[in-house]
Each structure stands twice: as structure tokens, then as C-alpha cells.
Amino acid sequence: MKRKSVYPFTAIAGQEDMKLALILNAINPSLGGVLIKGEKGTAKSTAVRAIAELLPAMKSVQGCKFHCDPDEDSMLCDDCTEMLSREGKLPIELIKMRVVELPVNATEDRVAGTLDMEYAIKYGKKKFEPGILAQANRNILYVDEINLLDDHIVDLLLDSAAMGINTVEREGISYSHPARFILVGTMNPEEGDIRPQLLDRFGLSVMVKGEQEPEKRVEVIKRRLAYERDPEMFASQYAERQKQLADKIIVARQLLHKVCITDNLMQAVAELAVTIGVDGHRADITIIKTALTIAAFNDEQSVSADDIKAASRLVLPHRLRRQPFEESDFDWNKIQNILDENIEADNAQEI
């Protein structure tokens, strides 16, 4: 059966914040993933599958069940490390990034994988049955309705996402493997929220809504109908735009480690965090990392005040303290004014 073309990322109408958040995570997976909140039918799943399809093939150790990166010795699994030590090189293949879906009823063993204790006792060796986190290494881990997952499963996902390693321990025996992935969670707030401690672990968050202008809704309908009528023809119409965006992401990845930021801008971010009362330091750090990634995406070698503002818009919404029954939307003008004042004051002090 012929594989149907995926809906092109660049053909998604509107939802600019969601698209930017996914692109930034594709450039810099250390941002910590993105939580997408919103009503049904707003292209959340379509965008996640489309960003994976957009990205170029990547090098992987041939036959490795964790898709290890042959260029990164420190993140090789035990089998690849042993093969490299024994043979001096690793066989390489090119694979596409893919979307690994985690069902809401997944058990801990299904997510983390299991150790065969009977085999270990009988043969004195470890035998690991990979779980979803193994499949997700170097891919996108997509969790629809993440608010309906058990808290301990969400904890497990976020710990692995932060550490880049999944460790399974049974009866005094442990096994670890690389588990670096882009975590994308989606949820409808009307079906319940997730704990604030878990919310804070997501790097970015965005709220998506259906278009409210009739003309834009008509455009969404037209594109969808055209895609369903002839997916290949529709995809070919966006091929050039897809290539341009993919190339831009690759250039941004290469530029990212060269982007710098002034002490004044870091000071302004720190003062903003204190003023609005966010918990801990994760918000400040993630704003800076996101701003660096935005600058790289814009082909700039230094972070600007606008980059900081754009980053704050993606990093802060799920970290602001709210009163019970308070609406989820926050006053962005207030945040922007605080940033403007802080940046102006810090610049004046320097002069």
C-alpha cells in the first residue's frame, strides 16, 4: 500500500505560536518540549506529524534499537559502545525522524521497558525489552491528552526528557539507555489540568484556538479539501517552501552554539522573574535558551530584546501563578512593559 503524503507543515494556516514552538524544539531539543493546550480540531496532531516529516534524515547506527547517534560517543547504548570498542567503527544508516505516540493507558513497563529477571538469573546477563522511551530516542514523543496520564508516568517522561537517559531498575539490577526526545504534549483544558509541578517541567507552552475570522476559516477548509482530494499534488505545491524551512532549521542548528547574549538582557530576564514571582530558576534559564534559539532561527549571532519578548511569550504562560477560577490567558502587555522597563533601566545604568 502506497504511503500517503503527510500534510505539509508550511500549509498549516495560522497557529503561529504552535508552529514556532515546534520549530524551536526541532532546532534545540534541550528546550524541554512543548505543551499545546487547546480545543479539538485545531491542527495540533497535524502539526506534530508535519514537523517530523519536514526534518531531513539523520545518521543512526545501523540496526540499533535505540537509533544511537554514531557521532556522539557519550550517548551510545551499551551494545554500540561495545561494538565501537571491538571493531573501531560503527555501521551507519540514514533514518527519518518519526513521531512515537504514547497512549494514555500505557503502563510503566510499556513506557520504560522491562528487564527479563528469569534470563538474568539463568544466564547471569542483562536482557532488556525496550519500551516507548527507547523508540522515542532522537524522535518526537507525542502524548495526546497528557492531562489524562497518571502522574507517575508523566514524571517518568519528564525525568527522562530532562536527563536524556532512561534507567530501569529491578531487583538490584539496572539498565540505562539514551532517551533524548522532543516531548510534545497536547491537552484540552476543559478536560482537566495537570499539576503545576509537572507543568513547569515543560519548556514551552502555547494555547491554540480556532480561527475567528471567516476568511481565514475558509482558507483552512480549502487547503484541507485540496489535501484530501489529492495529497501528493497538494504536497508538491508546498515542496519548495518545505525545503526552505528545512534548510533554515539546519542552518539554525549549526549557528546556535555561536549565538551570544549580553549581561544586560540576562539581568532583565532575572528581574522579570522576580517581579512576576515565578518559582525556581527554570523559567529564567528557559527564556534565555529559547531566545538564543530564536536568534539562531532568525540567522542572528546575538540575542535582541525582541527575542527575549518572543521567548517569554512561549515560556511563561504555564508558569505564572494564578488564583482559583482565574482565566488561563495572561496579560501579555503587563509582561512586555516590565521587560521594557527592565531593559531600559539596565541600559541606562551601563551608560
Side-chain angles (χ1 to χ4, degrees):
M1 182 177 174
K2 187 179 178 183
R3 182 174 175 265
K4 182 178 169 183
S5 293
V6 174
Y7 195 93
F9 188 81
T10 52
I12 297 171
Q15 312 299 3
E16 300 304 328
D17 285 348
M18 175 177 67
K19 290 190 287 187
L20 177 60
L22 290 171
I23 289 170
L24 296 178
N25 273 278
I27 296 170
N28 183 4
S30 75
L31 289 182
V34 55
L35 176 63
I36 305 172
K37 295 183 176 182
E39 57 206 40
K40 294 178 179 178
T42 44
K44 299 191 292 291
S45 303
T46 300
V48 174
R49 293 187 179 90
I51 191 72
E53 184 69 16
L54 175 75
L55 298 174
M58 56 188 178
K59 287 198 291 186
S60 170
V61 177
Q62 189 173 27
C64 176
K65 54 194 171 188
F66 306 111
H67 330 107
C68 284
D69 183 348
D71 293 331
E72 201 164 359
D73 293 359
S74 62
M75 290 301 293
L76 294 176
C77 68
D78 289 353
D79 289 346
C80 289
T81 301
E82 185 182 336
M83 186 190 303
L84 181 61
S85 174
R86 187 179 63 245
E87 301 183 12
K89 62 179 182 179
L90 296 167
I92 296 173
E93 62 179 345
L94 290 177
I95 60 172
K96 285 284 289 181
M97 177 180 275
R98 65 189 187 97
V99 178
V100 177
E101 295 194 38
L102 190 152
V104 292
N105 59 354
T107 63
E108 184 173 343
D109 283 350
R110 177 77 184 92
V111 175
T114 57
L115 278 165
D116 187 337
M117 297 309 300
E118 186 178 336
Y119 185 91
I121 293 170
K122 191 172 181 179
Y123 298 102
K125 296 180 180 177
K126 298 176 187 176
K127 185 178 180 183
F128 180 69
E129 185 66 33
I132 290 174
L133 290 178
Q135 298 172 31
N137 187 41
R138 305 182 69 207
N139 287 310
I140 295 175
L141 180 57
Y142 176 54
V143 191
D144 193 19
E145 298 181 323
I146 194 168
N147 51 324
L148 303 184
L149 272 181
D150 287 340
D151 281 353
H152 76 282
I153 298 292
V154 180
D155 265 330
L156 179 62
L157 295 181
L158 294 171
D159 282 344
S160 295
M163 301 294 292
I165 294 173
N166 173 44
T167 300
V168 178
E169 294 185 344
R170 299 284 187 277
E171 308 292 336
I173 299 174
S174 68
Y175 184 89
S176 298
H177 67 79
R180 290 196 302 188
F181 49 84
I182 300 172
L183 178 61
V184 181
T186 62
M187 58 176 281
N188 183 349
E190 293 178 357
E191 296 172 348
D193 214 333
I194 57 179
R195 287 189 288 126
Q197 296 91 330
L198 298 179
L199 276 175
D200 181 56
R201 304 280 293 279
F202 277 95
L204 313 181
S205 79
V206 294
M207 179 70 77
V208 293
K209 297 178 180 176
E211 297 290 349
Q212 296 303 305
E213 296 179 26
E215 294 78 10
K216 291 182 178 178
R217 295 182 78 94
V218 168
E219 185 58 30
V220 172
I221 296 168
K222 285 182 176 177
R223 292 187 188 185
R224 190 68 207 183
L225 291 178
Y227 172 72
E228 292 182 1
R229 191 179 305 119
D230 190 339
E232 279 66 38
M233 175 64 76
F234 184 78
S236 69
Q237 294 171 354
Y238 288 87
E240 185 58 31
R241 278 183 251 185
Q242 291 279 102
K243 184 179 184 306
Q244 289 175 359
L245 180 55
D247 289 346
K248 192 173 177 182
I249 289 172
I250 293 170
V251 170
R253 283 175 174 174
Q254 296 165 348
L255 179 63
L256 180 60
H257 71 281
K258 299 177 183 173
V259 180
C260 57
I261 181 170
T262 65
D263 286 350
N264 278 358
L265 286 177
M266 282 198 273
Q267 178 76 18
V269 171
E271 290 168 352
L272 170 68
V274 172
T275 303
I276 61 178
V278 295
D279 295 325
H281 298 279
R282 190 173 284 128
D284 319 30
I285 294 168
T286 309
I287 288 175
I288 299 300
K289 288 168 65 176
T290 305
L292 290 166
T293 311
I294 290 172
F297 183 55
N298 292 331
D299 200 20
E300 301 288 345
Q301 295 208 1
S302 60
V303 172
S304 68
D306 286 341
D307 295 333
I308 294 290
K309 292 173 186 174
S312 302
R313 202 178 183 95
L314 298 172
V315 174
L316 290 177
H318 58 303
R319 293 187 166 91
L320 294 177
R321 294 174 183 168
R322 296 187 175 86
Q323 299 300 318
F325 311 114
E326 188 177 352
E327 292 295 326
S328 57
D329 288 341
F330 68 100
D331 185 355
W332 170 244
N333 289 330
K334 179 181 175 184
I335 302 293
Q336 186 160 298
N337 290 339
I338 293 171
L339 268 174
D340 284 337
E341 291 169 7
N342 291 343
I343 292 170
E344 189 176 337
D346 293 335
N347 287 339
Q349 280 185 0
E350 189 175 71
I351 294 172

